[in-house]
Amino acid sequence: MEKYVCSVCGYTYDPDLGDADAGIESGTDFADLPDDWVCPMCGVGKEMFEKE
């Protein structure tokens, strides 16, 4: 699984960690995140993330 970086604030989504604050379990691939998931740091959508 690959990491993705927010092009706005630099937050890195790491599938090994998930996003516990948003209820995303560890092991969740970026492609499997809900469509309405947003960056926990700046609030932009998935379309603003790029593969690391």
Side-chain angles (χ1 to χ4, degrees):
M1 288 189 277
E2 298 175 284
K3 296 178 184 178
Y4 281 75
V5 179
C6 178
S7 62
V8 175
C9 72
Y11 168 82
T12 299
Y13 175 76
D14 183 343
D16 291 333
L17 302 176
D19 181 6
D21 291 339
I24 307 298
E25 295 182 15
S26 61
T28 303
D29 191 46
F30 187 82
D32 295 329
L33 291 172
D35 290 338
D36 62 351
W37 180 84
V38 296
C39 177
M41 298 298 289
C42 70
V44 298
K46 289 173 59 176
E47 68 279 358
M48 297 302 292
F49 278 73
E50 298 174 353
K51 194 182 303 185
E52 185 175 63

